[in-house]
Amino acid sequence: MSNTPLADYAADHRFMVEAAAQAAGLTDPVAFSPGAHLFPLISSSVRGPLVPIDGALLRQWITGARTYWPSARFGIRLYTADGMRFARCVANVHGDYAEDAYDVFVASRADYLRLFRLAVRAGREKVPDDLPPVLPAGQLEVLRQNTLGYLDRKNLQRIKELGGRPKRGLLLTGPPGNGKTSACRWLWEECRRNGHEYRLVTPDAYQAARRSCNPVQAIKDLFGVGRKGVVFFDDMDIALRDRNTVKETDDQAVFLGALDGIEVNEGVVYVFTTNCSLDLIDPAFKRPGRIDLVLHFAPPTPDLRRELIGRWHADIRGGIDVDAAVGQTEGFSFAEVEEVKNLLILRHIDSGGWDWDWAMEQFRLNRHELAADASRRVGFTEPDPALNGA
């Protein structure tokens, strides 16, 4: 008689727990899912090495908020928190289950309660105010009022008294590199500082939910929060594009059904980011009650570029002509201005000076010629003449 799906999953679960316990040196292991305590737990821990599962390890390149993710699609990440060892085992091998079914935390039974209490305390601690993202003043205030201000206890109570909706949807649009991700990072740090729940849903998590044995419920779970908070949906183009301009799938129907069907106890804000232009977004998604506000993140103006450069280290600002830097980065995104800064730093480490012209030229070469000329070197030292046929 063949195994049932439940028996197969139970066997996989036992294997993952045993592998994690062996890798971390745990005794009497206990498996758990930290849920809303994930970020406080990881923030309070020292990240250790990645370890293979039965000799297999698949690393994952992460560029945003990499501290909080294991940086692996198949493997074990080790951690230590206040002298307690624990492990996170990820092995996303079954498309019929939600992604977190194969994302298991494991600790020794003797440390389990202490680890839980540590995560709870860390979640309650007030973190220092973070600098808000560089945005036009009016846009920053609108973002704040429609997220953190909306979740204020008195505001939610009044909204409930007046019969308003306890949920709100924001869509952040604009080309890459102009502040959408920075705005979201600031918001989730502010959520942590204020004790709000927050969750990041990636395209991978959405696709895993779509492939699960109960996709409607799995996607609905992505929208839920246990208490008031913000759910971030990063680059959800697959679910947002207009069905009249792209090949129609049932992604939009499932996504919108989950967005409409969620029951909210306290208050939730959904923040969606996309690189699509607004006219490519499905009109059904933009309907009031789903999206209440659209914020467009355009390339920075000279004043905003000046503000960004003003946050650079004093040594950098003292070694360059700030006015010239602002003028020469016309049309640059925030990310591109920051890339010029990184090139400046690399050049400084190599030569001891601040060579703005070199950084700009190197930036241009990187963008237009690097892919076609493998002999070019970025950062430390001049290119080797021998490699260029000199």
Side-chain angles (χ1 to χ4, degrees):
M1 183 176 178
S2 61
N3 287 342
T4 65
L6 180 60
D8 287 340
Y9 175 71
D12 289 345
H13 176 82
R14 287 192 296 271
F15 181 85
M16 292 172 66
V17 172
E18 290 170 4
Q22 182 177 2
L26 308 176
T27 57
D28 195 11
V30 175
F32 65 96
S33 175
H37 301 294
L38 169 65
F39 292 97
L41 174 62
I42 299 300
S43 297
S44 304
S45 305
V46 176
R47 191 163 85 153
L50 273 173
V51 179
I53 302 174
D54 197 25
L57 175 63
L58 176 61
R59 297 178 183 271
Q60 182 182 24
W61 289 358
I62 297 289
T63 56
R66 63 182 299 273
T67 301
Y68 300 109
W69 310 115
S71 299
R73 297 289 292 172
F74 191 94
I76 301 168
R77 173 68 72 179
L78 305 181
Y79 297 90
T80 305
D82 197 21
M84 297 175 285
R85 296 192 303 273
F86 67 98
R88 183 177 185 180
C89 183
V90 290
N92 298 299
V93 297
H94 205 306
D96 288 340
Y97 295 92
E99 190 171 23
D100 58 359
Y102 284 86
D103 186 351
V104 178
F105 285 73
V106 183
S108 294
R109 188 174 299 275
D111 293 332
Y112 174 70
L113 284 178
R114 287 180 56 213
L115 204 59
F116 170 72
R117 290 166 183 154
L118 180 147
V120 171
R121 287 197 306 271
R124 291 173 177 168
E125 289 176 356
K126 295 294 185 181
V127 298
D129 288 359
D130 215 7
L131 279 175
V134 177
L135 295 174
Q139 188 177 45
L140 178 61
E141 187 57 27
V142 169
L143 178 66
R144 188 197 305 270
Q145 287 299 326
N146 284 273
T147 52
L148 304 170
Y150 181 80
L151 293 175
D152 179 80
R153 180 177 59 84
K154 293 181 179 178
N155 288 342
L156 285 176
Q157 183 177 352
R158 187 59 176 160
I159 290 169
K160 184 176 181 180
E161 291 172 353
L162 296 173
R165 291 191 310 270
K167 61 181 180 180
R168 192 155 183 79
L170 275 69
L171 178 62
L172 311 186
T173 70
N178 288 307
K180 299 189 299 293
T181 299
S182 297
C184 289
R185 287 175 182 167
W186 172 71
L187 279 175
W188 72 52
E189 287 299 331
E190 287 297 295
C191 284
R192 181 185 170 201
R193 194 172 66 85
N194 289 281
H196 301 329
E197 187 174 339
Y198 52 102
R199 177 188 301 167
L200 173 64
V201 179
T202 65
D204 284 346
Y206 174 74
Q207 290 292 1
R210 288 286 287 117
R211 295 191 301 266
S212 70
C213 55
N214 187 352
V216 174
Q217 183 60 46
I219 291 176
K220 186 177 179 180
D221 290 343
L222 297 177
F223 286 82
V225 290
R227 60 184 192 276
K228 63 182 180 181
V230 182
V231 182
F232 300 91
F233 290 85
D234 185 41
D235 289 339
M236 294 302 295
D237 296 357
I238 189 171
L240 307 184
R241 280 186 177 270
D242 189 345
R243 285 165 284 185
N244 294 319
T245 59
V246 298
K247 182 180 179 180
E248 183 171 355
T249 70
D250 62 350
D251 278 304
Q252 293 94 337
V254 173
F255 193 84
L256 295 175
L259 180 59
D260 291 339
I262 193 69
E263 296 180 3
V264 180
N265 295 323
E266 292 188 60
V268 62
V269 177
Y270 299 118
V271 178
F272 303 91
T273 70
T274 179
N275 295 326
C276 290
S277 62
L278 194 57
D279 58 347
L280 293 179
I281 301 297
D282 196 317
F285 181 75
K286 294 184 285 188
R287 193 187 73 191
R290 291 171 173 168
I291 289 299
D292 303 287
L293 178 69
V294 176
L295 290 178
H296 184 70
F297 287 68
T301 63
D303 286 344
L304 292 178
R305 296 197 302 278
R306 185 180 298 277
E307 183 179 347
L308 178 65
I309 294 172
R311 295 186 180 187
W312 291 0
H313 194 283
D315 288 355
I316 303 177
R317 288 185 281 113
I320 66 173
D321 184 336
V322 173
D323 290 336
V326 170
Q328 292 177 28
T329 52
E330 178 68 31
F332 281 34
S333 68
F334 283 121
E336 289 170 331
V337 177
E338 286 291 282
E339 176 60 19
V340 175
K341 181 189 75 173
N342 290 331
L343 291 169
L344 270 172
I345 293 171
L346 290 175
R347 183 65 168 175
H348 172 74
I349 292 173
D350 184 44
S351 68
W354 298 105
D355 193 339
W356 174 263
D357 291 338
W358 181 92
M360 288 293 291
E361 176 62 12
Q362 190 65 61
F363 176 86
R364 186 186 68 80
L365 292 174
N366 291 351
R367 286 291 174 270
H368 299 292
E369 300 179 21
L370 184 60
D373 188 350
S375 66
R376 293 194 183 278
R377 302 181 63 186
V378 180
F380 303 92
T381 78
E382 294 290 341
D384 186 344
L387 295 177
N388 291 321

